[in-house]
C-alpha cells in the first residue's frame, strides 16, 4: 500500500468491500490490538489485555490487526503461521484484504 495516497486507498477499500457478502457469523472482537496489549508468558501462550473496546464484529478485524501487530513486533514472516494457526478455512481472503487495508488506513 506504500506510495498510494489516502484517496486511492479509500477507493481501493470501497472496491474491495463492494464484493463482500455477509461473511461468517459475528464473533467477539478485541478491536484495539496494540503492542502494549499483548502479553507473552514463558510457556509461549499469548494473552491480550485492554478489552474495553471489545464488541461483536467480523473476525477479520482482529485478524488484520493481529497481522499488523505481528509484523510490527516480529516481522512479516510470522503472519502466515499466524493465519495457519487460526485456521485458513475460517479466513475469507477478500474480507481479510479489506480489513488489512482499513487497519493500514487507521494507523
Amino acid at each position: 500500500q506504500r506510495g498510494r495516497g489516502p484517496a486511492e486507498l479509500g477507493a481501493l477499500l470501497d472496491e474491495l468491500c463492494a464484493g463482500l457478502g455477509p461473511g461468517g457469523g459475528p464473533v467477539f472482537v478485541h478491536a484495539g490490538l496494540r503492542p502494549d496489549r499483548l502479553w507473552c508468558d514463558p510457556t509461549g501462550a499469548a494473552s491480550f489485555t485492554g478489552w474495553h473496546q471489545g464488541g461483536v464484529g467480523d473476525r477479520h478485524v482482529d485478524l488484520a490487526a493481529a497481522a499488523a501487530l505481528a509484523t510490527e513486533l516480529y516481522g512479516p514472516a510470522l503472519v502466515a503461521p499466524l493465519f495457519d494457526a487460526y485456521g485458513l478455512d475460517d479466513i475469507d481472503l477478500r474480507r481479510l484484504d479489506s480489513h488489512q487495508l482499513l487497519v493500514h488506513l487507521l494507523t
Side-chain angles (χ1 to χ4, degrees), residues 12-78:
L12 180 58
L13 181 61
D14 285 343
E15 181 183 321
L16 284 169
C17 290
L20 297 179
V27 298
F28 193 75
V29 295
H30 188 282
L33 297 179
R34 301 187 321 230
D36 63 323
R37 294 184 176 161
L38 172 63
W39 182 75
C40 297
D41 73 27
T43 68
S47 299
F48 295 103
T49 63
W51 285 89
H52 60 279
Q53 294 177 344
V56 175
D58 187 319
R59 73 185 72 244
H60 297 85
V61 170
D62 279 351
L63 287 171
L69 182 62
T71 299
E72 179 181 339
L73 294 176
Y74 306 108
L78 191 63

Side-chain angles (χ1 to χ4, degrees), residues 10 17 21-22 26 30 43 48 59-60 79 86 88 93-95 107:
C17 290
H30 188 282
T43 68
F48 295 103
R59 73 185 72 244
H60 297 85
V79 174
Y86 184 84
L88 293 175
L93 295 178
R94 188 167 175 92
R95 188 174 295 277
T107 56

